Amino acid sequence: MAQGYTQEEGIDYEEVFAPVARIEAIRLFLAYASYMKFKVYQMDVKSAFLYGSIEEEVYVCQPPGFENPSYPDKVYKLKKALYALHQDPRAWYDTLSSYLLENGFERGVIDKTLFIKRKKKDILLVQIYVDDIIFGSTRDNMCKEFEELMHQRFKMSSMGELTFFLGLQVQQKTDGIFICQSKYVQNILTKFGFSDSKPASTPMETHKQIIADLEGEDMDVHHYRSMIGSLMYLTASRPDIMFPVCVCARFQVRPKQSHYQAVKRIFRYLKGQPRLELWYPHDSSFDLLAYSDSDLGGANLDRKSTSGGCQFLGARLVSWQCKKQTTVSTSTTEAEYIAAASCCSQVLWIQNQMLDYGVTFLHTPIFIDNSSPISIVNNPVKHSKTKHIEIRYHFIRDCNEKKLIQVVKVHTDNQFADLFTKAFDVGRFTFLVTSVGMINSE
């Protein structure tokens, strides 16, 4: 292995960037596979970085035991990449993408890790994550041809149907696809000592707010941050814990005993629901729709509001957000308007991403349970009630005028984005979790 840590930027390497697939892109891939009813397969490239060619002049010492006795003081000039060099990922991506483009593939416009090949009405999709590759097609022969193509150029490990990718467990059934991280849940329960804990019915208490608690007992910062980091990784497939984890993450600088108790509650909830899974049914439509909500002044530290949003393709939950707003909102209307703008941004990303699949979405509904922000979006006249809102949030009006999205009133009882903005009792919480497409497969 090369000693890449000795490399100096500008001398030994220049550009090192290589695109990496977002976790949302993987869920979109699986949602599309579910809708089109085709199987997804997985391959792994052996020693992927060794295939990349480097453009910079890089020299390495002769490896111990392989010195040339005729030239003991000489060094080797590299033509190919070695593991641990800074330019490895970039060199490998360039090699792989060039090979695919030469063989009739198109690269995604938005997602540079997505490659598409079309034959009449059939499509082959290939998603790259460094040396892991998942692929699927509406015609089985195209998958077999792709495997043969990759074996011709690289040493590959064919792993059959996709079952595990980027920490996500995937079960491909005859009627749909399950996505979960149940093995990871068991691992973190064991790691942090919650294997025998008493289960909780919800991940967050409704009657007790999480505050700064300056007089409380200090907790071990590293242990607390380790717990939060483990839970954040789990939110890739568990939207039901997204809000409480984000709230607890706000206290990582000086965590107190009360904050630790709140985190323990999340683990106790996971103890009771270790196998809650996302469900992508085959028989659902493929319409894009979104829900947006906010909690005015929900952050006790600075009284900033919390934006929550979720996006569906039919009944398939493909993306969700919980984020503290950057400014203090002075009204519910302002908080809801800012949350809707954030949700709109994610909707536009999904719309652009799906263009690579050959799918176009217009008039995507964003459901809001407040009429005032809907009026602001539909009213192009800038009046006194909105002039203090930062200009960057007003792009949602432009999207509305271009008919990319439409804001629609929804009853509060059916506002599924509530799951990402506040805590609820077990009845309401269970309803929301079920409504976003999470089921227990056991």
Side-chain angles (χ1 to χ4, degrees):
M1 181 179 292
Q3 296 177 341
Y5 58 85
T6 64
Q7 291 184 282
E8 296 184 26
E9 186 176 2
I11 299 176
D12 299 309
Y13 65 93
E14 295 290 344
E15 180 61 66
V16 299
F17 170 77
V20 176
R22 291 172 53 172
I23 194 68
E24 291 96 334
I26 305 303
R27 291 195 292 261
L28 286 179
F29 190 104
L30 294 174
Y32 186 76
S34 168
Y35 175 68
M36 298 300 291
K37 300 181 178 62
F38 64 72
K39 291 288 185 180
V40 181
Y41 302 93
Q42 184 174 13
M43 300 179 76
D44 178 73
V45 186
K46 298 179 181 178
S47 304
F49 287 171
L50 300 183
Y51 290 101
S53 299
I54 56 177
E55 299 176 357
E56 301 86 359
E57 286 192 7
V58 178
Y59 299 90
V60 295
C61 297
Q62 298 185 47
F66 295 89
E67 298 91 346
N68 190 327
S70 302
Y71 305 99
D73 298 326
K74 297 287 186 177
V75 294
Y76 288 114
K77 179 181 178 181
L78 290 182
K79 294 182 179 180
K80 296 284 187 177
L82 286 180
Y83 274 82
L85 292 179
H86 284 281
Q87 54 265 64
D88 282 348
R90 177 78 176 189
W92 159 241
Y93 173 76
D94 288 342
T95 299
L96 177 60
S97 59
S98 297
Y99 182 66
L100 292 178
L101 294 174
E102 290 170 0
N103 285 277
F105 283 84
E106 301 173 9
R107 181 161 35 199
V109 176
I110 301 300
D111 185 359
K112 300 302 181 181
T113 64
L114 179 67
F115 293 85
I116 309 102
K117 191 172 188 178
R118 294 180 172 87
K119 285 186 178 180
K120 297 181 180 180
K121 295 183 179 181
D122 292 305
I123 185 172
L124 169 66
L125 299 171
V126 179
Q127 186 80 58
I128 309 295
Y129 190 90
V130 192
D131 58 351
D132 288 319
I133 301 174
I134 61 173
F135 60 98
S137 175
T138 52
R139 187 158 62 91
D140 290 338
N141 285 342
M142 293 184 73
C143 289
K144 296 177 182 178
E145 292 171 1
F146 174 70
E147 286 194 69
E148 294 174 358
L149 178 68
M150 293 299 292
H151 280 288
Q152 291 173 11
R153 177 68 174 81
F154 309 105
K155 290 185 178 180
M156 308 293 301
S157 295
S158 297
M159 305 169 71
E161 291 186 14
L162 175 66
T163 57
F164 188 84
F165 192 68
L166 299 186
L168 300 177
Q169 295 167 238
V170 180
Q171 287 183 291
Q172 303 185 63
K173 304 282 190 177
T174 55
D175 55 348
I177 298 176
F178 282 108
I179 304 173
C180 72
Q181 291 174 281
S182 58
K183 292 181 180 178
Y184 179 73
V185 171
Q186 296 296 343
N187 289 340
I188 62 174
L189 288 174
T190 302
K191 176 181 177 180
F192 295 108
F194 293 98
S195 297
D196 299 320
S197 62
K198 181 180 178 181
S201 56
T202 61
M204 192 174 187
E205 295 184 76
T206 57
H207 63 279
K208 185 192 297 185
Q209 287 189 326
I210 304 176
I211 59 177
D213 193 15
L214 299 178
E215 303 300 323
E217 178 186 350
D218 288 333
M219 282 297 301
D220 184 327
V221 173
H222 300 290
H223 184 67
Y224 186 85
R225 291 176 180 175
S226 179
M227 297 175 75
I228 292 296
S230 298
L231 291 172
M232 288 297 291
Y233 182 73
L234 183 58
T235 59
S237 68
R238 294 294 296 261
D240 53 323
I241 65 169
M242 186 72 172
F243 174 67
V245 171
C246 288
V247 172
C248 292
R250 297 169 185 169
F251 302 94
Q252 294 185 79
V253 176
R254 292 188 62 185
K256 303 294 183 177
Q257 180 64 29
S258 59
H259 306 143
Y260 176 65
Q261 294 299 323
V263 175
K264 284 178 63 177
R265 171 87 180 201
I266 302 175
F267 277 93
R268 290 174 49 218
Y269 166 73
L270 293 174
K271 171 64 178 177
Q273 295 286 355
R275 289 196 58 84
L276 208 56
E277 303 179 340
L278 286 174
W279 170 237
Y280 290 177
H282 284 330
D283 57 0
S284 173
S285 69
F286 206 66
D287 299 323
L288 176 59
L289 60 154
Y291 293 81
S292 171
D293 192 34
S294 72
D295 180 27
L296 179 64
N300 291 297
L301 293 175
D302 48 21
R303 303 307 296 171
K304 292 179 180 177
S305 303
T306 301
S307 295
C310 53
Q311 294 77 36
F312 295 82
L313 287 171
R316 309 168 189 88
L317 180 62
V318 293
S319 181
W320 54 89
Q321 307 82 42
C322 173
K323 183 180 180 181
K324 186 170 72 170
Q325 296 179 3
T326 56
T327 58
V328 178
S329 299
T330 58
S331 66
T332 301
T333 298
E334 181 181 352
E336 294 273 7
Y337 184 72
I338 293 174
S342 298
C343 183
C344 177
S345 178
Q346 186 66 13
V347 167
L348 292 181
W349 179 84
I350 295 174
Q351 288 179 339
N352 290 329
Q353 184 84 1
M354 294 309 298
L355 288 176
D356 293 330
Y357 290 73
V359 180
T360 302
F361 294 111
L362 292 174
H363 300 281
T364 297
I366 299 178
F367 294 101
I368 307 174
D369 59 4
N370 188 315
S371 299
S372 296
I374 297 177
S375 299
I376 296 175
V377 172
N378 291 324
N379 182 9
V381 179
K382 184 176 181 181
H383 47 76
S384 59
K385 291 185 178 180
T386 62
K387 66 180 182 181
H388 65 288
I389 300 177
E390 291 188 36
I391 294 176
R392 63 194 177 102
Y393 295 117
H394 290 304
F395 82 93
I396 188 174
R397 288 179 177 175
D398 186 53
C399 295
N400 183 61
E401 291 176 4
K402 292 178 179 178
K403 303 188 184 304
L404 296 174
I405 60 103
Q406 57 178 322
V407 283
V408 181
K409 182 73 162 58
V410 67
H411 193 278
T412 302
D413 292 344
N414 296 318
Q415 176 52 278
F416 303 149
D418 275 349
L419 184 64
F420 308 100
T421 59
K422 53 187 77 74
F424 292 98
D425 59 59
V426 62
R428 175 65 176 170
F429 178 77
T430 302
F431 169 76
L432 290 173
V433 169
T434 305
S435 298
V436 299
M438 299 195 73
I439 62 177
N440 198 321
S441 62
E442 290 184 332

